[in-house]
Amino acid sequence: MTDTSFDLVVIGGGPGGYVAAIRAAQLGLKTAVVEREHLGGICLNWGCIPTKALLRSAEVGHLLKHADAYGFSASNVSFDLAKIVDRSRKVASQLSNGVKHLLKKNKVTVFDGLGRLNGAGKVKVEKDGKPVADLAAKNIILATGARARVFPGLEPDGKLIWTYKEAMVPTVMPKSLLVVGSGAIGIEFASFYHNLGAKVTVVEVMPRILPVEDAEISAFAQKSFEKQGMKIMAGANVKAFKKGADNVTATIEAGGKTEDQTFDRVILAVGIVGNVENLGLDGTKVKVEKTHIMTDGYGATGEPGVYAIGDLTGAPWLAHKASHEGVICVEKIAGVKAVHPLDTRNIPGCTYCMPQVASVGLTEQAAKDKGHEVKVGRFPFIGNGKAIALGEPEGMVKTVFDAKTGELLGAHMIGAEVTELIQGYTVARTLETTEAELMHTVFPHPTLSEMMHESVLAAYGRAIHI
């Protein structure tokens, strides 16, 4: 008979939950995970991983269309949408099964069902409304993630109006597509469908796309997308949808004018809300604000023995943030010494569009708003030998320093492979590096990373190759 008494029960097996469970097991805590659907959560099954598989296919298609620039001939290039989707699903399945293996390897007990608090130190697990188990635990971590935000009158139907889930498994390729929202999710889908031939329009209510990024990077991205053929409508709002037999007419307000535009399909990417329902929070001291659970820097809620991590606790809604929170939370529970609270300023953000966007720390404007006198460095991809050799001369690296202390306040990038490069600046911020250490660091040649060095040098009037 399965044991039902644990040191720790984690409700949710996503990138926050399963990582927390594995770390807990490593620290000697008897641990269980309750997962209602797929191990790996949204990230592995319907988010980070399968979207990257889709985007990789689109990237291959892009290269084939431009094969002549590299000395190759590729005529009559076509794609099989079903095979592209199937590859994406197989990648997701492989990794979800990998999480299952890791939990088993670390002797973490997994319960298939919906978990909720059932009194102090207790978790009830149900499946399809039927009881599965009653668990007892000294500590409980809530890691139930989040879901797509829906606005009244703009609800998805799964056929003509999609959420990210339907957008990942299309059965037909839309000739025209409206993407509502220009955050990472919206822009990645816009990039994927555009590169496969759809006529894409992006509507963003904020004055600029990718609104959490540095304004200069956002402007660069918009110019690049428009040059590719996308239509960008910033400072615009979708007021209503009217569904036809196989299309959707959207009423869009922009610049004080309203117009109707018809599209084959619509993708809604207007934010997310925390999965706080049916968790048994009533009668507890867990505080919820705007669908997210309030915690301290270690994941503790107002209810003794109850913790929360990941998307459930609010921005930034990133898998790597959830995983790190899980480790911090568990190590604090286990009494590990010198556990540092989460510093969201050192969490990198990545958007896998074409060109890619990545950043960490403060934007230039945010730094100024906080009272910093800044030194700003910029270096373009066109000045980098490796970028030119790759045929990827479009992009830039931007660094923001405190003029008085030399502290690296933020770094912002757009261009090929910047989602891989950003970690260098993330390490620098974590180590509290100043411009002096970065200037004295030797970067290998020829690499894209040399632009990171040049951007630092440029902030102090010392750039060599520009």
Side-chain angles (χ1 to χ4, degrees):
M1 185 174 179
T2 303
D3 200 339
T4 57
S5 181
F6 298 90
D7 296 316
L8 172 68
V9 170
V10 182
I11 302 177
Y18 87 75
V19 169
I22 290 173
R23 183 64 184 129
Q26 290 175 344
L27 292 169
L29 300 180
K30 185 180 177 184
T31 305
V33 167
V34 181
E35 172 54 48
R36 67 179 179 178
E37 192 171 7
H38 303 295
L39 289 171
I42 293 297
C43 174
L44 265 65
N45 294 280
W46 293 102
C48 317
I49 299 302
T51 54
K52 302 311 160 286
L54 293 174
L55 287 161
R56 176 58 174 164
S57 292
E59 181 184 2
V60 170
H62 176 80
L63 287 172
L64 286 171
K65 289 177 183 177
H66 296 84
D68 184 66
Y70 299 91
F72 289 84
S73 176
S75 57
N76 300 319
V77 175
S78 63
F79 62 87
D80 186 324
L81 184 61
K83 286 185 178 180
I84 290 174
V85 171
D86 183 60
R87 177 179 180 273
S88 171
R89 301 316 308 156
K90 285 179 178 176
V91 169
S93 178
Q94 178 182 341
L95 287 169
S96 183
N97 288 331
V99 171
K100 182 178 180 180
H101 167 74
L102 288 172
L103 290 170
K104 183 178 181 180
K105 175 184 175 182
N106 284 277
K107 297 180 173 57
V108 174
T109 304
V110 177
F111 291 90
D112 179 19
L114 182 68
R116 61 180 174 85
L117 302 179
N118 193 36
K122 295 180 180 179
V123 172
K124 179 177 283 295
V125 184
E126 297 177 326
K127 183 74 172 180
D128 299 324
K130 298 178 181 179
V132 173
D134 289 308
L135 311 180
K138 299 174 185 177
N139 304 283
I140 300 166
I141 295 178
L142 306 176
T144 52
R147 63 185 183 278
R149 182 184 296 277
V150 175
F151 289 105
L154 302 178
E155 296 88 355
D157 62 6
K159 296 179 180 180
L160 300 175
I161 305 172
W162 296 342
T163 66
Y164 60 87
K165 262 192 174 181
E166 293 83 26
M168 266 185 274
V169 289
T171 55
V172 295
M173 184 67 191
K175 293 181 179 179
S176 60
L177 175 71
L178 170 64
V179 179
V180 185
S182 72
I185 294 173
I187 286 298
E188 286 183 6
F189 278 123
S191 195
F192 169 72
Y193 280 97
H194 169 74
N195 279 313
L196 287 187
K199 185 177 180 181
V200 175
T201 297
V202 177
V203 169
E204 170 58 53
V205 70
M206 300 296 285
R208 58 186 176 88
I209 63 168
L210 295 168
V212 302
E213 300 295 342
D214 184 88
E216 198 170 352
I217 299 298
S218 291
F220 194 113
Q222 178 166 339
K223 185 176 180 180
S224 175
F225 297 148
E226 290 175 335
K227 182 180 177 182
Q228 293 173 36
M230 286 190 207
K231 183 178 180 180
I232 305 294
M233 300 180 69
N237 194 16
V238 177
K239 307 298 290 184
F241 290 136
K242 182 179 180 180
K243 291 186 285 186
D246 198 31
N247 58 34
V248 179
T249 298
T251 301
I252 304 172
E253 183 181 65
K257 298 180 180 179
T258 300
E259 63 176 319
D260 290 340
Q261 296 186 36
T262 300
F263 305 90
D264 289 342
R265 296 293 183 271
V266 175
I267 296 176
L268 299 178
V270 288
I272 61 176
V273 294
N275 293 322
V276 294
E277 301 85 0
N278 303 315
L279 284 180
L281 300 181
D282 292 343
T284 71
K285 295 179 181 178
V286 175
K287 186 177 181 181
V288 179
E289 289 186 4
K290 297 180 180 178
T291 78
H292 293 99
I293 290 178
M294 300 295 100
T295 64
D296 65 7
Y298 301 97
T301 70
E303 181 72 17
V306 177
Y307 304 81
I309 61 174
D311 287 355
L312 187 63
T313 64
W317 297 285
L318 300 167
H320 44 284
K321 175 249 194 183
S323 297
H324 194 66
E325 276 184 315
V327 171
I328 290 172
C329 182
V330 165
E331 290 185 347
K332 190 69 173 178
I333 289 171
V336 174
K337 294 181 179 179
V339 180
H340 297 287
L342 180 70
D343 185 351
T344 57
R345 297 173 302 173
N346 291 341
I347 298 175
C350 298
T351 304
Y352 300 81
C353 45
M354 187 181 294
Q356 294 179 6
V357 176
S359 61
V360 66
L362 299 175
T363 65
E364 180 181 357
Q365 188 59 52
K368 291 177 179 178
D369 291 345
K370 287 182 176 293
H372 293 279
E373 181 185 343
V374 300
K375 284 185 177 293
V376 178
R378 300 172 182 83
F379 194 84
F381 269 53
I382 193 67
N384 177 261
K386 180 67 179 293
I388 295 172
L390 288 174
E392 298 286 357
E394 182 183 42
M396 68 175 290
V397 178
K398 178 178 179 178
T399 45
V400 183
F401 292 89
D402 184 283
K404 296 178 181 178
T405 67
E407 176 189 359
L408 175 63
L409 298 173
H412 312 275
M413 305 167 144
I414 183 167
E417 301 304 328
V418 296
T419 57
E420 297 291 341
L421 297 177
I422 195 62
Q423 190 59 16
Y425 285 133
T426 303
V427 171
R429 277 189 53 80
T430 301
L431 295 176
E432 299 181 350
T433 301
T434 69
E435 92 290 353
E437 287 84 11
L438 289 168
M439 285 182 180
H440 293 152
T441 300
V442 178
F443 287 73
H445 173 79
T447 64
L448 297 175
S449 68
E450 290 176 275
M451 291 183 287
M452 298 168 65
H453 192 215
E454 290 275 14
S455 181
V456 175
L457 293 171
Y460 292 83
R462 294 175 52 182
I464 302 297
H465 293 96
I466 187 173

